Amino acid sequence: MTTTIVRAACPHDCPDTCALLVTVEDGVAREVKGDPEHPTTKGVLCTKVARYTERTYHRDRLQFPLRRVGKKGEGKFERISWDEAISTIAARLTAIAAVDPQAILPYSYAGTMGLVQGESMAARFFHKLGASLLDRTICATAGATGYRYTIGASIGTDIEQFDNSKLILIWGGNPIASNLHFWMRAQEAKRRGARLIAIDPYRSLTAEKCHQHIAVLPGTDAALALGMMHVLIAEDLLDHDYIAAHTLGFAQLKARAAEWTPERTAATCGISVEEVLGLAREYGQTARRGEAVAIRVNYGVQRVHGGGNAVRAIACLPALVGAWRHAAGGIQLSASGGFAKNEAALQRADLLPNSPRTINMSTIGDDLLRPASPDFGPQIQALIVYNANPVAVAPESPKVAQGFAREDLFTVVLEHFQTDTADYADIVLPATTQLEHVDVHSAYGHNYMLANNAAIAPLGEAKPNTEVFRLLAAAMGFDDPCFRETDDQIAAQAFRKDHERTIHFDWDALKRKGWQKLAMPAAPFAEGNFPTPSGKCEFYSARMLEAGLDPLPTHVPNYESVASNPALAAKYPLAMISPPQRNFLNSTFVNVESLRATEGEPHLDIHPHDAAARGVADGEMVRIFNDRGAFVARARVTDKARPGLVVGLSVWWKKLASDGKNANEVTSQRLTDMGRAPTFYDTLVQVEKV
Ligand SMILES: Nc1nc2c(c(=O)[nH]1)N[C@H]1C(S)=C(S)[C@@H](COP(=O)(O)OP(=O)(O)OC[C@H]3O[C@@H](n4cnc5c(=O)[nH]c(N)nc54)[C@H](O)[C@@H]3O)O[C@H]1N2
Ligand SMILES: Nc1nc2c(c(=O)[nH]1)N[C@H]1C(S)=C(S)[C@@H](COP(=O)(O)OP(=O)(O)OC[C@H]3O[C@@H](n4cnc5c(=O)[nH]c(N)nc54)[C@H](O)[C@@H]3O)O[C@H]1N2
Ligand code: SF4
Ligand SMILES: [Mo]
């Protein structure tokens, strides 16, 4: 028997991007472990990826190309050859492109975060074709935009520094589920005497383990941050030198914060005046003592109407108290901006023959149902889906499913499994998993580049995404040499060698070692040098004014809440959020039996008062509904959900739920204040006993 250990990287949409060691015996992957030497992985994996072989060798893995024989959505398919699959797709795309290539839309997200199996060969192919561009907004663009206006780029406190923080605000994040290796750092900080405070409408697994939990109403975080500023300014808990040297617009911000008295803040956020005062004082006084105060803000705050402003307001706090002076102080939303990716080489936007329109992935439901018009352009006639499961994860699912069910729409899905989306495909193509292909990774929760070596041969006839687009390019006569590059050649171009942070990137060395840190300073903004136009932390943003936005951080109320929309709340009085389950990764892993068994079935957490008012007892089935749709779940009567809030942990495969539906039946396609992102957590519903 030959046993080898292969260095790999976790491909999933998780900030932690773990370094993996795959044990391979005679060509079979036996075990996937965390690399003990990698400084953030530290030999630890989450339960999902610790069982990666179970997913890889799952009996339902797609191994052959398939053609649909039943109705769309029904899930009946027959096996065809790769030759037939590629020629069918090429013929259909060629015919559509002859009239208008913009009628073709790629639809992809972060099923794999790899720079090769994500947007490299695929992007080249769609660019050359002149297909519609896709605005990839479904997760993070609201917060990223708010952060960029304020700090300048997605750069913040290095995760490896958090051990030394003395106060950590975990704001709109549930790291025990979604950012485990940050939680390990927060635990270490706690052992060294740090205080942890969770700010979350729900008593999540994480909130339960923090010293304090402040249960704000969904979508009120900008108000809380402005209220904190009010107290910091009123009680002079400021770092005046840092503000003078490294910020822009303090006088205007001071005037804005003056409007947010502790009383108004508390009423808006649904918390007590003492909580507002206590939080601001603890933050300001800890910093005043010269200790490191850090904020881990996460994406939970920005899935509401005012999501961009929420992150922006929170991102102003560290500069006010001079927290950036410490390597262990400041704020982190995402580390992705540290990586100097070579997108020009990977994606070849220079191949575009035209300036195609852009379709927002977050409104795919409406857009699939839209006819041709001068505003919109051609109707969408072909959809190529890879690394994504929109029928389960996109908002307002009834519309999404209706769009995918269009008989005249030609849909191709590249997948590992027969997902809710694959059920609507005309052609399904079997994709390789991370153990079967080569890739290179950046991360959004740490500062390491990682290599993924292929550990095993592809299962059945599965092919990497890149190979599918290579074959399609050849079939459609695209002869640019970039369409013949191997995955290794693509990976070798992933990072810029003319950039100081990635100048030392060397693909061959990375493959051997597994990981390599970016050249980043430990305390990125200790001396200012923010990557904004002014070089300062911009409390006041001229760019926002130009974009027609409020130049100062502001509280934008939810579209749907009791306070902002009382007429709607009269019918649908409960706010619903649907953040991720610990044992799923978005909709990935829901079909892995052992992980699904841990989560059981779709649940709805509801406060005892709200349950009693509806005659709902713990364990009973309830129907959750609004004007957009309805789904059922088993009620868990618990004060983890604050009064007025219901929580349906997600994202379930619709077809694995008893009613064939999930929480996205009731979410809306309305967009955030900036970044054109979805508002999953800005949803009012009513609940009734089934
Ligand atoms: N196990 C697991 N890990 C994951 C994922 C997964 O599905 N499962 N998904 C991955 C992906 S794609 C992402 S984007 C991240 C997401 O992970 P996070 O960035 O942590 O964001 P969410 O899980 O959306 O929400 C985190 C917390 O925010 C709370 N929240 C909801 N609305 C509000 C609000 O208005 N204000 C505040 N303060 N809090 C609010 C929720 O109750 C939840 O506990 O995790 C990644 N990691
Ligand atoms: N209600 C509600 N909805 C949500 C969210 C929520 O919190 N609540 N979260 C939102 C967020 S933050 C996000 S990021 C989106 C996530 O939405 P998606 O990015 O669509 O993520 P997944 O649902 O995990 O689906 C990814 C799919 O890619 C496939 N895949 C993985 N690797 C490969 C590969 O190499 N090749 C191919 N061809 N396929 C591959 C997987 O099998 C999986 O089916 O969902 C959003 N939807
Ligand atoms: S999903 Fe996240 S925590 Fe789990 S192995 Fe992958 S990167 Fe690590
Ligand atoms: Mo996400």
Side-chain angles (χ1 to χ4, degrees), residues 13 139 174 177-178 199-200 219 221 298-299 580 582 584 586 681:
D13 188 352
C139 173
N174 179 16
S178 62
I199 302 168
D200 191 316
D221 300 279
N298 231 314
Y299 292 106
R582 181 184 194 174
F584 303 153
N586 302 318
Y681 304 167

Side-chain angles (χ1 to χ4, degrees), residues 10-12 14-18 20 44-46 48-49 180-181 585:
C10 177
H12 290 293
C14 169
D16 301 20
T17 310
C18 290
L20 309 179
V44 176
L45 298 181
C46 64
K48 306 175 290 294
V49 175
L180 183 65
H181 298 78
L585 207 133

Side-chain angles (χ1 to χ4, degrees), residues 105-111 134 138 360-365 368 383-402 404 411-415 419-424 586-587 651-654 662 664-665 667 680:
L105 180 70
Y107 196 98
S108 68
Y109 200 63
L134 184 73
I138 201 148
N360 186 350
M361 73 188 305
S362 300
T363 52
I364 190 65
L368 283 177
L383 195 61
I384 290 80
V385 182
Y386 51 102
N387 304 339
N389 185 11
V391 172
V393 308
E396 202 175 356
S397 200
K399 290 252 182 82
V400 180
Q402 203 189 328
F404 269 85
T411 304
V412 179
V413 176
L414 286 64
E415 252 301 346
T419 58
D420 291 325
T421 305
D423 281 349
Y424 287 87
N586 302 318
S587 77
V651 183
W652 280 83
W653 277 28
K654 301 211 287 186
N662 72 15
N664 281 321
E665 293 298 308
T667 55
F680 291 111

Side-chain angles (χ1 to χ4, degrees), residues 453-531:
N453 293 289
I456 57 172
L459 264 66
E461 293 182 5
K463 290 186 193 297
N465 295 339
T466 44
E467 182 60 13
V468 173
F469 291 105
R470 249 181 233 115
L471 291 170
L472 283 172
M476 293 178 69
F478 298 172
D479 55 9
D480 190 288
C482 77
F483 292 111
R484 292 190 294 275
E485 281 177 8
T486 64
D487 289 1
D488 247 70
Q489 287 169 327
I490 299 171
Q493 302 167 56
F495 297 104
R496 285 172 49 190
K497 290 187 188 152
D498 61 347
H499 195 288
E500 56 184 8
R501 291 202 287 265
T502 46
I503 197 162
H504 54 307
F505 166 61
D506 177 278
W507 174 235
D508 290 318
L510 192 69
K511 277 199 291 187
R512 285 192 301 274
K513 166 89 178 167
W515 38 270
Q516 169 78 58
K517 196 166 187 178
L518 297 178
M520 292 279 282
F525 309 126
E527 311 283 336
N529 297 319
F530 290 90

